[in-house]
Amino acid sequence: MAAVPRGVATATAIFADRADNSELWDAEGRRYVDFAGGIAVLNTGHRHAGVMAAVSAQMERYTHTAFQVVAYEPYVALAERLNALAPIEGPAKTILFTTGAEAVENAVKIARAATGRSAVIAFTGGFHGRTMLTMGLTGKALPYKHRFGPMPAEIYHAPFPIPHYGVTAEDSLKALEFIFRADAAPDRVAAIILEPVQGEGGFHVAPPEFMQALRALCDRHGILLIADEIQTGFGRTGKMFAVEHTGVKPDLITVAKSLAGGFPLAGVIGRAELMDAPEPGGLGGTYAGSPIACAAALAVLDAIAEEGLLARAEALGDRTRARLEAFEARNDLRPIAGIRGPGAMIAFDLVTSRGGREPDGAAAKLVTSRALEEGLILLSCGIHGETIRLLYPLTISDALLDEGLDRLEDALRIV
């Protein structure tokens, strides 16, 4: 594109014209089934009726005041709802922002203010954003860190437990001890941050026993545990927050993406005494917690509850897994492996041989390209680009889910 720099790469070559729930039409009038959801933003689908009505009503009242100048009820009402929903020990408070990276940056600021410490530990394969601090936290060099150095100081990475890559939960915990001995003593570490299910890293699930061990380690050393729920939150995994599958209560939770049904909104939810650590004026942002986005988010939370979308995520996931397992057994389709993910956060890997686990990133790229030709918007991810992730709305009908899976089957066909 002549007007836009190449650094903001676009996964498809189509231009959107309109969309509704799980369908999108491009500028040439071609229809697509959307299994990308704007990168996990549309758990309630494109233009959910309740969200659109709430936004329209809010736009008739006011669109912006800056919460730091004139406060408004939608912000406070949303904070109250999130405080009640989040798996936080004791009283919780919420601050709202605009983007996921902004939420992560502010979670680190809060952790540093609350602990008086500066170091932060993240994990390989994790994705936390593209700003300088969040780029440093992100556990993948290419393309996110290439030519953008030097990275911020006092950020360390431990390997994320992925058994088929030879890393167990025990290995990850040992690596943390190595960091404590070699790089940052525990009393210098403000926080450990991780995604309960890695997003860009390949939809790898943090084992419950690993999360529980992290919680115990953090408690032992006075370190805060941050759950990055930006991609996993708001019903995608069959729970409101993915960390609920583990029985662990983090100290801080970052949220964004599907929180506001397509409108820009993010936040940090945390233990009240931690959230109050920064001085007045130390947190905020001109557009942080836009009243329009807050109205949308309240409608999203209503939709999740009233439409039973947590249970729907489980049903969609079961239906999808059954179909993918049938694909895995077929010789006329490209070899796949590693079908995984809780609820409707489903992924699988393209591999070089049937029954093997050698990743095939080139094949995954071909599959996403063929899927688009078949009328299916599909995204890849993973350490080697080998993973296909399915992010259809939780409001998708069974018929449209099956249609999308039919198109995925065609994209996997060996020709």
Side-chain angles (χ1 to χ4, degrees):
M1 283 186 258
V4 179
R6 70 191 185 104
V8 54
T10 305
T12 69
I14 63 174
F15 281 75
D17 178 64
R18 61 189 176 93
D20 183 60
N21 196 6
S22 53
E23 298 171 279
L24 181 145
W25 289 262
D26 70 11
E28 297 179 355
R30 189 176 181 197
R31 172 183 169 274
Y32 297 84
V33 178
D34 187 358
F35 272 23
I39 317 179
V41 168
L42 299 169
N43 286 359
T44 51
H46 291 278
R47 300 174 58 251
H48 185 282
V51 172
M52 299 305 290
V55 166
S56 178
Q58 180 57 47
M59 288 177 66
E60 291 296 319
R61 299 176 67 85
Y62 53 89
T63 62
H64 175 74
T65 69
F67 190 76
Q68 300 96 299
V69 178
V70 177
Y72 38 87
E73 178 59 24
Y75 188 119
V76 177
L78 180 57
E80 290 172 342
R81 293 276 295 273
L82 293 173
N83 294 340
L85 289 168
I88 297 289
E89 189 70 50
K93 290 190 175 184
T94 293
I95 182 168
L96 299 173
F97 299 102
T98 308
T99 70
E102 199 179 2
V104 172
E105 293 231 0
N106 280 276
V108 172
K109 286 169 60 176
I110 292 164
R112 286 174 168 172
T115 63
R117 305 173 181 184
S118 51
V120 183
I121 298 173
F123 288 86
T124 57
F127 182 84
H128 301 289
R130 290 182 176 88
T131 61
M132 285 303 297
L133 177 60
T134 59
M135 177 175 59
L137 292 169
T138 291
K140 186 176 182 180
L142 287 170
Y144 305 119
K145 302 183 184 184
H146 184 53
R147 299 171 65 187
F148 294 140
M151 292 297 109
E154 292 203 278
I155 293 174
Y156 307 96
H157 289 90
F160 191 84
I162 306 174
H164 77 268
Y165 283 140
V167 181
T168 66
E170 184 180 352
D171 293 330
S172 296
L173 294 169
K174 284 181 180 177
L176 290 171
E177 296 298 331
F178 291 153
I179 291 172
F180 291 156
R181 289 199 294 270
D183 295 312
D187 62 4
R188 277 183 50 212
V189 178
I192 295 174
I193 183 169
L194 80 165
E195 301 158 279
V197 183
Q198 287 196 332
E200 295 294 323
F203 281 31
H204 299 294
V205 180
E209 64 273 15
F210 175 66
M211 292 295 296
Q212 291 157 12
L214 280 184
R215 178 72 274 177
L217 182 148
C218 287
D219 290 342
R220 186 160 64 250
H221 295 297
I223 299 168
L224 302 185
L225 182 61
I226 304 174
D228 183 338
E229 294 264 6
I230 288 167
Q231 187 159 167
T232 55
F234 304 103
R236 174 55 55 182
T237 69
K239 301 283 189 183
M240 187 64 73
F241 300 98
V243 75
E244 294 178 82
H245 289 283
T246 71
V248 166
K249 293 186 176 181
D251 299 294
L252 301 168
I253 299 173
T254 58
V255 295
K257 288 194 180 285
S258 279
L259 168 59
F263 290 84
L265 188 65
V268 182
I269 315 164
R271 291 198 284 124
E273 68 273 19
L274 304 176
M275 299 294 288
D276 282 338
E279 294 296 323
L283 303 176
T286 301
Y287 296 105
S290 154
I292 296 170
C294 288
L298 289 165
V300 164
L301 295 180
D302 287 343
I304 291 172
E306 293 167 7
E307 298 175 30
L309 294 186
L310 302 185
R312 180 63 177 159
E314 294 285 1
L316 290 168
D318 290 345
R319 193 180 187 96
T320 302
R321 281 186 207 89
R323 191 73 180 274
L324 293 177
E325 287 164 4
F327 293 170
E328 187 176 21
R330 287 171 52 178
N331 292 323
D332 62 327
L333 304 182
R334 291 181 181 273
I336 68 172
I339 300 165
R340 59 188 177 273
M345 193 167 181
I346 304 298
F348 61 91
D349 297 331
L350 272 294
V351 291
T352 57
S353 61
R354 207 165 305 282
R357 290 310 304 266
E358 183 68 26
D360 193 341
K365 188 173 182 180
L366 285 172
V367 168
T368 59
S369 178
R370 283 199 60 199
L372 194 67
E373 294 173 3
E374 298 291 339
L376 175 67
I377 302 172
L378 195 63
L379 294 176
S380 60
C381 62
I383 296 170
H384 303 285
E386 77 278 26
T387 303
I388 300 293
R389 51 179 161 170
L390 308 181
L391 289 166
Y392 41 72
L394 305 181
T395 49
I396 193 171
S397 67
D398 286 350
L400 274 173
L401 175 66
D402 290 343
E403 181 184 344
L405 293 172
D406 288 344
R407 297 182 184 198
L408 174 59
E409 178 181 350
D410 290 339
L412 287 167
R413 200 176 306 279
I414 298 171
V415 294

